[in-house]
Structure formats: structure tokens, C-alpha cells
Amino acid sequence: MILILDFGSQYTQLIARRVREVNVYCEIHPYNFPLEQIRQLQPEGIILSGGPASVYAEDAPMLDARVLDLPVPFLGICYGMNVLHHLAGGIVSSAAQREFGLAHLTIDDTTDLFAGFTPHTETRVWMSHGDKMESLPAGWTILAHSPNSPIAAGRDHSGHFFGLQFHPEVVHTERGHEVLKNFLFRICHCEPHWTMAGFIERETDKICKRVGDRQVVCGLSGGVDSAVVALLLHRAIGDQLTCVFVDNGLLRQQEAEKVATVFSGFGLNLRCIDASTHFLQKLIGVEDPEQKRRIIGHAFIEVFEETARTLPDVRFLAQGTLYPDVIESVSFKGPSATIKSHHNVGGLPERMQLELIEPLRELFKDEVRVLGRLLGLPDEIVDRQPFPGPGLSIRIIGPIDAERLAILRAADGIVEEEVRAAGFSHRVWQAFAVLLPVKTVGVMGDERTYEDVIAIRVVESIDGMTADWAKLPYDLLGRISTRVVNEVRGVNRVVYDISSKPPATIEWE
């Protein structure tokens, strides 16, 4: 296993993805993870992530120097490289010219990290730093350089410590996966034995041991995340699991009916609860998206707890929380910036009477889809586009009421139908409509109108951590716009969101 120590980079989770993609198990922990716990993990190697700080700043996060005495290889990436150099006596300072984006890296040494590369040739890499190494620590060797970073990669004389100024984990670094594989297999001597099939066996065993003979309630939304959790628990504890589908009044067109139909064939103990009135009453007049999330999170738990009281010895609530949810909600593993809370991460009440089971908490969406197929889920569930836990509430900018929900639901149904008919459903990450809090002037039937605006959001992504807006054909966008304006009463204008993530997020709230 590989230990990743997080110094706050938004790319840290991508390092984990790249490691797992080559079937090596890894865990992410904060940079100040206690030395004794690191010893207990017995990692084959340690990767220090990037981060937003500067090592020479007074309050900069710094590694316990004793960790470097462990007899395993270390790879520092960006800020992590600066940490290694700083602790070894190298000088790090603010660069006169910051380096963000693509850069041309020249390979000087092909012995280890760059094995398989051609000496003295260039390769494109992704830089994201404002500091640079002024001098190498004693005994270090330069492995690569760029026009703005004379020390863009280095190694100490023992082959114990390695540093990269660029980010090999991002797709923009054209041969970054080779660099990481060299570290994992040539330097750390890892074996590629970690698979999703193995994950199923390990998690099944963990669930059995933790739950014992007690009961579990699982919130089933119909999406791939909660579906995989439900089947994983059903595999582990069988009839001790009760799945609860809650119609919160914030679902898409005919979603409740579809969920009940699909999951009735899996042998799950499924209870369908219509709590739409309960949720919508709590959301009356609420505009702030974080407050929406908290209210919905609390309301879900209230429904689950009420259901749990009708079952004997229920102790646990199972959720389909994924790693991107955690990263965006809280500074979970390190000093990463909080972006937004998710209803099943940042919105749980402290008084909750159920213990959480979140077997997918460290996984990415593509890994969950692999699990789904291994567990026998049909493609219509496995390939279903992500739908936020707070539902349509965060796709209505501003307050929510039945009329605005009806408008958005109808428009969203048209988007889904047209994108699917055009063959784009499996080519995009998400496609949906957003109801904006503005009205605009229009002309319909020779009369002036003053009605709502619908924004269309369609993005391409691998894991939801980064995303780019989809370049849909103009005729497809035209059909969507024409249908929405003609078929959805109260809308006279349609706009298309061409923002990427970052700087925007996929959802508007």
C-alpha cells in the first residue's frame, strides 16, 4: 500500500486515482498524521501532495521530520517536493515568474522516475506553483528541468527521496502515469493486487464484523452510489438491511415510480415513503443553498430515524457518500479548502441516533460503477447520470415552491430526453436544467411576456472533480431551447452554461 500525505492540494484525490488505476492500494491522510499510525500502516512508499502554502511561510504545514527516517521511498509533488528539499537543507523561495499551466520539461536523467523516457528530450507537464528551488540539498541530483524551473525534478544520492515540481497525476501531464508507475513499481516494488473484486470481499467482511446481528437502514435514491451500497450490504447481511426510498418532492419526472420498479427485482427489503410535504414545508422561503442542504440532510435523517423506530435493533444508517463529496464538503484529509457541503456529509445533525456506514467513502465514481457491474446492477443504474442528494432544490436558484418545481421538472425532462435521443447520454457526465431567479422580456404570439429563464448545464468529466462544458451540436441545443419555450409554461428564454470546473462547480448551488 501507498500512503499519501495531504498538504491541501485539490489534486490530492487524483494522486489516489492514478495509484488505484494500476491496482495498488493507497490511503490519503493529513500531512500531520501521527508517526506511530504511519508505522502501523506499513506503507511501501509515501507520497507528499502539493498544497497552496509556501514552506518558508511562518504557518506553513510541515511534515514531522521523524517521518523521513522511515525506510521507505518518498515522492514529493510540488509543495511536497519543497517540503523534502526544505527539510534536507535546500533553499526554497518565491519565484519571480510563477508557473501555472502547461510547461515543457527536459529530461536529464532516465535512471528511475523517468525510466523509459529518452534522455534530453522534452515532454509536456502541468505546473502549478509560485515558488522555486534556489539550491539543491547536499547529495541531490537534478533529474529534469524546465525553462522556468531549473530544478523541476530531483533525487537524493541514496535513491530514498524524490521530488517533482510538476503534477504527474493530472491528465495534462502527457506521460505522468509513467512517472508514477516508475515510482510505484521500480522504486517502491509494489505489486498490482488491489482490485474492485477484492474491495467487495474486504468491505463485505468489514460490514459483517461491524454490524453483527443488528439492523441497518440504507437510504436508496435510485442512483448508482446508493444502489451499490444497498447491494453490498445485502450481500453482507441479507435481511438485516432495510432500504428506504424517500420521495422528498425534489425528484425528477417519474423518478419515484422508476426506482420502485427497478429495485423490486433485486430481493431487497424496500420501503417507499412519500415525504414530499414534509420536505417542502421545511424549505418554504429558504434561498441560501447551504441552508437548503442542511435542512434536507436533517429531514432525511428524521425520516430514517422514524423508519428505524419501527424496526428492531436498528443501529446503523448506510449512505452512498463518495470521496468527491467528502473533499468538497470538509477539510477531511488535510488543509484543503471547503467548497460546499453535501447533504450526506456536511448536513447531518449532531443528535443523530444512528451510526453511519459509508463503504464507498474513499472511492471515486468510476470505481463505484465498476463495483456496480460486479454486483450485477443493470446498465440503466450503473450508467445513470449523477443526481445531487438535495435534488432539484439546488437547481432552483432562490426559494422553492410547487410552481417553480413543476417548471424545472418539465424543462429538465426535455433536456434529458433530447440528450438521450441524440446519443449523448453516455458521452457526458451530467445534463440538466437550472431555473434562474430572474425574469426577462420576450414576445410570444405578438404579445409581450415577462417570464423565467432556464439555463442548460451539460458537462464532460471522468470523476466529477474536474469538468468541462460539453460542446453539443447547435441543432441539439436549438431543439432543447425550442421545446422548453414552447412546452414549459412560464419560460421565455433558454441559455447555455459554458463554464468549466474549476472555476465553477458542476451544480449551480
Side-chain angles (χ1 to χ4, degrees), residues 354-509:
L354 303 173
E355 296 180 39
L356 284 180
I357 292 180
E358 298 174 307
L360 312 182
R361 189 179 176 92
E362 300 288 339
L363 298 186
F364 298 93
K365 179 71 76 172
D366 57 323
E367 293 174 319
V368 175
R369 293 193 199 281
V370 173
L371 282 183
R373 289 192 168 89
L374 290 174
L375 291 167
L377 278 174
D379 288 345
E380 64 181 299
I381 299 297
V382 172
D383 295 326
R384 185 181 184 224
Q385 291 184 2
F387 185 62
L392 298 181
S393 73
I394 57 170
R395 293 178 179 175
I396 294 178
I397 313 302
I400 301 162
D401 57 40
E403 181 182 358
R404 289 170 67 77
L405 277 167
I407 291 172
L408 178 58
R409 199 172 276 124
D412 188 72
I414 291 171
V415 173
E416 181 182 8
E417 183 178 325
E418 289 294 337
V419 169
R420 183 176 61 251
F424 279 87
S425 288
H426 299 309
R427 296 163 59 181
V428 300
W429 176 259
Q430 275 177 281
F432 57 89
V434 180
L435 180 57
L436 304 188
V438 295
K439 293 182 180 293
T440 66
V441 173
V443 178
M444 300 177 75
D446 295 327
E447 293 185 358
R448 177 186 183 274
T449 62
Y450 190 58
E451 295 180 329
D452 290 320
V453 179
I454 287 287
I456 307 302
R457 180 70 158 148
V458 186
V459 297
E460 298 173 341
S461 180
I462 296 175
D463 52 27
M465 297 306 302
T466 60
D468 194 12
W469 60 279
K471 283 69 175 176
L472 297 184
Y474 290 158
D475 58 345
L476 173 56
L477 292 173
R479 285 197 303 274
I480 293 173
S481 176
T482 298
R483 285 194 60 191
V484 169
V485 172
N486 287 336
E487 299 176 27
V488 182
R489 290 190 176 274
V491 176
N492 68 358
R493 190 179 300 269
V494 176
V495 297
Y496 191 53
D497 182 350
I498 59 170
S499 307
S500 297
K501 175 187 179 180
T505 56
I506 294 177
E507 298 289 345
W508 278 45
E509 288 194 339

Side-chain angles (χ1 to χ4, degrees), residues 33 53 84 103 127 144 165 174 194 210 228 293 304 312 319 327 348 370 411 494-495 501 505:
F33 196 55
L84 291 179
M127 296 282 194
Q165 189 67 72
E174 59 184 1
W194 190 76
R210 183 179 177 194
V228 167
R293 283 183 161 84
F304 290 139
Q319 292 189 147
I327 287 292
L348 300 181
V370 173
V494 176
V495 297
K501 175 187 179 180
T505 56

Side-chain angles (χ1 to χ4, degrees), residues 242-262:
T242 298
C243 294
V244 179
F245 172 74
V246 178
D247 182 353
N248 59 8
L250 304 169
L251 303 176
R252 293 171 288 194
Q253 278 186 334
Q254 299 180 326
E255 191 154 19
E257 295 85 351
K258 291 177 183 177
V259 168
T261 300
V262 170

